[in-house]
Amino acid sequence: MNRKALVLFSGGQDSTVCLAWALQHFEHVETIGFDYGQRHRVELDCRQRIVDGIKAAFPQWAHKLGEDRVIDLGWLGQISDCALTEEREIELMENGLPNTFVPGRNLVFFMISSAVAYRRGLSTLVGGMCQTDYSGYPDCREDALKALQVATNIGMASNFRFELPLMWIDKSETFKLAEQLGGEPLLDIVNKLTHTCYFGDHTTVNDWGYGCGKCPACELRKAGWEKFKANA
Ligand code: ZN
């Protein structure tokens, strides 16, 4: 195990906190993002601004930041047919999952990240998946991702560790973790530079960041911020 990590970095709140967490815990940190035709593609435009913001506010972390890459997964949008990649209403499907579920998305993300980490000699992969106050996506569950870790290590004759720092905390605790890692400057970056809204609304400004305030992603983030502030 080396102290080198690859962070699955979308440009959202969770992956930004994971990036800060990795910068705190590892000596060298690279980042990877995915373009799968998401309606909230604006999150990808946020990535560089977040990295620049972190470099400016945290000089002690700046030298640890290594390569960044965005992988084109247009085919995932083509085959998934869901409300995250198609213009349609968000609703529950017959199986009880919201139709924002992109089947296999996180599994694909981790598989591709593992291949990149293999080539780059990075021993740890960091993802912001969470099964505490999530939308029920089965590929956010720790068991799914840990099973994939095992399969990946067997299939690549590797020794990767999948770190999931947000797995057992809720959104308010994610804000709390940001505060612990980087105080007000990091909370500022989270609230002013990241993007979460499923509908790609990056013009409406709220205390808790940009977003429509109505989609499930905004509702989670807003409720998390309000609980965080109430407990502060
Ligand atoms: Zn929204």
Side-chain angles (χ1 to χ4, degrees):
M1 290 284 290
N2 59 34
R3 302 301 300 163
K4 297 180 179 178
L6 178 63
V7 178
L8 283 67
F9 177 51
S10 67
Q13 173 189 1
D14 292 342
S15 66
T16 297
V17 177
C18 283
L19 177 56
W21 179 89
L23 288 164
Q24 180 87 301
H25 289 91
F26 292 84
E27 288 163 5
H28 176 82
V29 176
E30 300 188 11
T31 44
I32 187 168
F34 301 98
D35 183 352
Y36 56 99
Q38 57 269 53
R39 283 167 74 180
H40 52 298
R41 277 188 87 258
V42 64
E43 69 178 2
L44 296 174
D45 301 332
C46 297
R47 298 172 78 258
Q48 190 58 50
R49 291 197 289 271
I50 295 165
V51 168
D52 291 344
I54 286 177
K55 280 181 176 168
F58 303 97
Q60 71 275 31
W61 289 345
H63 70 280
K64 297 182 175 186
L65 275 162
E67 281 188 29
D68 176 50
R69 48 176 59 69
V70 174
I71 308 293
D72 181 1
L73 296 185
W75 55 267
L76 186 58
Q78 286 165 22
I79 61 174
S80 60
D81 186 34
C82 72
L84 222 50
T85 51
E86 308 282 331
E87 293 285 335
R88 70 174 69 153
E89 292 296 315
I90 296 177
E91 55 196 12
L92 284 185
M93 301 185 289
E94 276 176 21
N95 63 6
L97 282 173
N99 63 348
T100 47
F101 177 54
V102 185
R105 180 182 64 170
N106 291 336
L107 305 179
V108 169
F109 287 179
F110 263 101
M111 275 315 305
I112 290 172
S113 300
S114 299
V116 170
Y118 186 96
R119 181 160 57 84
R120 299 287 305 154
L122 314 169
S123 66
T124 303
L125 287 82
V126 183
M129 296 74 186
C130 166
Q131 74 175 84
T132 306
D133 56 359
Y134 70 145
S135 304
Y137 302 149
D139 59 346
C140 283
R141 294 199 294 236
E142 185 177 47
D143 282 354
L145 296 170
K146 288 298 175 179
L148 185 65
Q149 174 187 291
V150 172
T152 302
N153 283 332
I154 295 169
M156 292 190 191
S158 54
N159 193 25
F160 293 123
R161 186 176 174 91
F162 292 2
E163 285 281 3
L164 310 161
L166 311 185
M167 182 54 70
W168 299 109
I169 64 177
D170 68 16
K171 266 299 194 241
S172 74
E173 291 166 311
T174 303
F175 280 113
K176 183 83 195 155
L177 178 60
E179 187 181 45
Q180 286 164 352
L181 289 166
E184 280 297 324
L186 188 60
L187 279 177
D188 232 40
I189 286 169
V190 167
N191 281 340
K192 294 186 178 151
L193 299 180
T194 71
H195 181 87
T196 298
C197 177
Y198 278 159
F199 293 142
D201 180 344
H202 204 69
T203 49
T204 310
V205 184
N206 311 281
D207 293 347
W208 41 270
Y210 291 101
C212 71
K214 298 181 192 83
C215 74
C218 280
E219 279 180 351
L220 259 182
R221 181 163 167 162
K222 180 170 182 269
W225 175 255
E226 284 166 0
K227 187 173 164 196
F228 166 67
K229 291 309 278 182
N231 293 336

